[in-house]
Amino acid sequence: MTDVVLDVSDLRRIYRADDAELAVRAVDGVSFRVNAGESVAIVGASGCGKSTLLQILGCLDRPTSGRYALAGSDVSRLDEDALAALRNRHVGFVFQSFHLLPRLSAVENVALPLLYGPHLPDAHERALAALTRVGLGDRAHHLPAEMSGGQRQRTAIARALVTRPSLLLCDEPTGALDTRTSDDVLALIDDIHRQGATIVMVTHDVSVARRMERVIWMSDGRIERDGPSEEVLDAFVARLSARSAAA
């Protein structure tokens, strides 16, 4: 039987205001599953709710209502300590802005997530292995300021992988990179997926989304379409073209 990594049912995230009519339904009744080994892109116009959804999937925010199970654990039933432990064990994050600590070397940055879990005597060795996996074994002792943007993002990917997570969440991972460097980073993510990783990526870039097997298209906090990438993205691009022509 296929392992379900993410199971989301009628998920809602509502930002309340004093005036109930001004409440923002950032995520409004979303349901889907992601199986182990899938690669999924979440696309949509700015403000559609895709980044809010990713924050919830990464256990960085809690839904207002609905059910979300990560690797079989119902997130809504967990206190903050248990939630942090689940996040550390099962989720790796890759952000647009890298979020590396400037005074720590690459290997020290990569080892950081291991310090928040059970003590691992081989943390340094695991961090070195993760850097080697992304092609940066020879940059292990360089500071972030001594590396290019692509190398910093590779370091961030190594940090995301070092805990051997069930899920890799990517939030616009090439947004701060030039085209050539973006291609290199995306090729690395493709390779990580081929090795069996489950990947969910938020992106506004249709060409990036096409690299994923499946696309979830969001609009106004809801899922408009969910299916094979080419099928969903062709409809998405057609909608964008029609709006542009009408403007």
Side-chain angles (χ1 to χ4, degrees):
M1 184 174 68
T2 302
D3 291 331
V4 177
V5 177
L6 298 179
D7 190 353
V8 173
S9 179
D10 199 24
L11 205 67
R12 300 174 193 273
R13 181 64 171 99
I14 302 171
Y15 295 99
R16 303 289 183 184
D18 292 337
D19 184 344
E21 294 184 0
L22 298 179
V24 176
R25 294 178 174 272
V27 177
D28 191 12
V30 166
S31 300
F32 64 94
R33 287 182 174 182
V34 175
N35 295 323
E38 277 195 280
S39 63
V40 182
I42 302 175
V43 304
S46 178
C48 71
K50 57 186 185 294
S51 292
T52 299
L53 177 59
L54 198 75
Q55 293 282 311
I56 295 172
L57 298 182
C59 303
L60 297 174
D61 191 12
R62 287 184 182 270
T64 304
S65 63
R67 181 180 181 274
Y68 168 39
L70 170 60
S73 296
D74 187 344
V75 171
S76 64
R77 298 178 180 274
L78 304 179
D79 61 23
E80 290 302 323
D81 288 342
L83 194 64
L86 182 73
R87 181 172 59 240
N88 181 263
R89 187 166 68 252
H90 287 291
V91 183
F93 294 94
V94 180
F95 300 101
Q96 177 176 334
S97 301
F98 316 140
H99 295 306
L100 301 177
L101 297 183
R103 296 186 179 182
L104 297 185
S105 67
V107 69
E108 290 169 333
N109 267 287
V110 172
L112 276 176
L114 299 174
L115 304 181
Y116 295 98
H119 175 67
L120 293 172
D122 63 343
H124 185 79
E125 287 73 19
R126 281 180 59 169
L128 281 174
L131 280 169
T132 300
R133 182 179 180 184
V134 301
L136 289 180
D138 60 342
R139 294 289 189 270
H141 300 292
H142 285 61
L143 297 174
E146 299 170 330
M147 296 186 289
S148 68
Q151 289 171 339
R152 290 196 293 272
Q153 189 60 293
R154 284 174 175 266
T155 301
I157 293 171
R159 180 185 56 196
L161 297 174
V162 74
T163 59
R164 299 165 188 167
S166 306
L167 174 68
L168 186 64
L169 296 179
C170 304
D171 190 2
E172 302 283 6
T174 60
L177 305 175
D178 59 59
T179 301
R180 181 174 178 178
T181 306
S182 295
D183 288 342
D184 290 342
V185 168
L186 290 170
L188 172 61
I189 292 173
D190 289 344
D191 185 57
I192 291 167
H193 175 243
R194 282 193 294 269
Q195 294 176 39
T198 306
I199 297 174
V200 175
M201 178 186 297
V202 161
T203 182
H204 69 280
D205 189 328
V206 171
S207 65
V208 172
R210 287 192 190 278
R211 303 175 82 114
M212 303 291 105
E213 300 168 330
R214 172 183 165 197
V215 169
I216 294 173
W217 170 10
M218 292 189 67
S219 179
D220 297 326
R222 296 175 176 270
I223 293 177
E224 184 149 338
R225 294 201 182 196
D226 179 357
S229 60
E230 291 299 321
E231 175 185 313
V232 175
L233 289 172
D234 286 348
F236 180 62
V237 171
R239 172 77 63 85
L240 293 179
S241 298
R243 287 179 177 175
S244 178

